[in-house]
């Protein structure tokens, strides 16, 4: 459990470093525009929170499906390996990324433009510090949302692969049952034909 938590923290920090790099590059080269108006930023972040909550709900649904599918014979075998654990971890990671994105968004909406935040930034002798923090949190919220969506897509793809294996197993079982039924039906037909032949020979013998 400790290693799993370490891996998750590492992923979060690495993503944050990537967002820092993108922020610095965007600051110098302006790849995309961040809204300057506070109300526009808040509206965008409210939209991000809505999207995150929807995708987090979908991720919980996928996790529930994976858990329910784990009772099948194929996945009972897979549970002895790390495959099921990896699939569940990807879904859990996507949920965590959505939660972080929502927290970043809410920190800007409810605290980013507060008097306290503005006064603290003014006391620190750095030009445009408040704007820089808002911009970075805006970018982090967007980045974690996109990261969560990517993980969500991967988790859905993994679930579809697992479901395909289960359906293939069910088709094979159905095929075996159909073959067994056909064999037993052919035996019944053969037995009936043999009985009719014996009955015919008996009647012929008696008539003679």
């Amino acid at each position: 459990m400790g290693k799993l938590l370490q891996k998750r923290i590492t992923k979060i920090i690495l993503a944050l470093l990537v967002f820092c790099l993108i922020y610095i590059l965007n600051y110098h080269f302006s790849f995309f525009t961040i809204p300057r108006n506070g109300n526009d930023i808040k509206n965008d972040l409210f939209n991000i929170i809505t999207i995150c909550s929807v995708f987090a709900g979908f991720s919980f649904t996928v996790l529930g499906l994976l858990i329910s599918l784990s009772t099948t014979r194929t996945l009972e075998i897979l549970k002895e390996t790390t495959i099921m654990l990896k699939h569940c971890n990807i879904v859990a990671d996507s949920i965590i990324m959505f939660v972080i994105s929502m927290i970043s968004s809410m920190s800007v909406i409810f605290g980013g433009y507060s008097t306290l935040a503005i006064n603290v930034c003014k006391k620190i002798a750095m030009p445009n510090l408040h704007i820089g923090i808002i911009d970075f949190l805006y970018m982090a919220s967007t980045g974690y949302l996109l990261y969560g969506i990517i993980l969500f897509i991967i988790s859905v793809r993994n679930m579809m692969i697992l479901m395909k294996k289960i359906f293939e197993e069910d088709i094979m079982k159905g095929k075996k049952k159909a073959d067994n039924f056909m064999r037993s039906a052919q035996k019944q037909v053969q037995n009936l034909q043999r009985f009719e032949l014996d009955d015919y020979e008996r009647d012929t013998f008696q008539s003679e």
Side-chain angles (χ1 to χ4, degrees):
M1 195 64 160
K3 285 183 179 179
L4 184 60
L5 184 61
Q6 249 180 352
K7 283 182 181 179
R8 285 210 171 106
I9 292 169
T10 303
K11 286 177 185 177
I12 293 166
I13 293 170
L14 285 174
L16 192 62
L17 291 173
V18 170
F19 302 149
C20 284
L21 180 62
I22 294 170
Y23 172 76
I24 292 166
L25 291 172
N26 187 65
Y27 181 79
H28 290 289
F29 301 105
S30 298
F31 296 120
F32 53 90
T33 306
I34 297 173
R36 292 271 68 91
N37 185 280
N39 289 329
D40 291 341
I41 288 176
K42 286 181 180 180
N43 288 334
D44 286 351
L45 293 176
F46 270 122
N47 292 334
I48 286 173
I49 290 170
T50 304
I51 295 166
C52 283
S53 60
V54 170
F55 272 104
F58 288 155
S59 296
F60 275 114
T61 304
V62 172
L63 189 60
L65 283 170
L66 283 172
I67 292 168
S68 63
L69 289 173
S70 64
T71 56
T72 59
R73 187 168 174 271
T74 304
L75 298 190
E76 281 287 341
I77 297 167
L78 289 176
K79 276 201 289 188
E80 297 174 5
T81 67
T82 58
I83 294 171
M84 277 297 292
L85 183 62
K86 282 179 181 177
H87 290 346
C88 290
N89 283 339
I90 290 170
V91 181
D93 287 344
S94 71
I95 294 169
I96 290 167
M97 298 308 160
F98 292 134
V99 170
I100 293 171
S101 178
M102 286 191 284
I103 291 170
S104 299
S105 299
M106 286 189 288
S107 66
V108 175
I109 292 168
F110 298 111
Y113 292 94
S114 65
T115 307
L116 177 63
I118 293 168
N119 289 336
V120 168
C121 290
K122 280 179 180 178
K123 287 179 182 179
I124 300 170
M126 284 182 68
N128 299 323
L129 177 62
H130 182 255
I131 294 171
I133 292 171
I134 296 293
D135 288 354
F136 178 73
L137 288 172
Y138 180 91
M139 190 170 292
S141 299
T142 308
Y144 280 117
L145 168 63
L146 294 174
Y147 189 13
I149 290 172
I150 291 167
L151 292 173
F152 172 76
I153 292 167
I154 293 169
S155 67
V156 170
R157 183 183 64 87
N158 290 340
M159 191 186 68
M160 288 176 69
I161 291 168
L162 290 174
M163 288 181 74
K164 186 181 175 184
K165 287 180 180 177
I166 293 166
F167 289 146
E168 283 175 354
E169 182 191 2
D170 290 340
I171 290 167
M172 290 298 293
K173 283 181 181 177
K175 216 173 176 186
K176 283 180 183 177
K177 286 181 181 178
D179 290 342
N180 291 334
F181 176 78
M182 289 301 294
R183 278 196 292 270
S184 63
Q186 284 173 356
K187 282 182 182 178
Q188 290 293 333
V189 171
Q190 287 171 359
N191 290 335
L192 184 61
Q193 287 174 344
R194 194 178 298 116
F195 174 78
E196 288 175 348
L197 183 62
D198 291 343
D199 192 50
Y200 173 77
E201 288 177 350
R202 195 182 303 111
D203 289 344
T204 305
F205 178 76
Q206 285 175 356
S207 63
E208 287 177 355

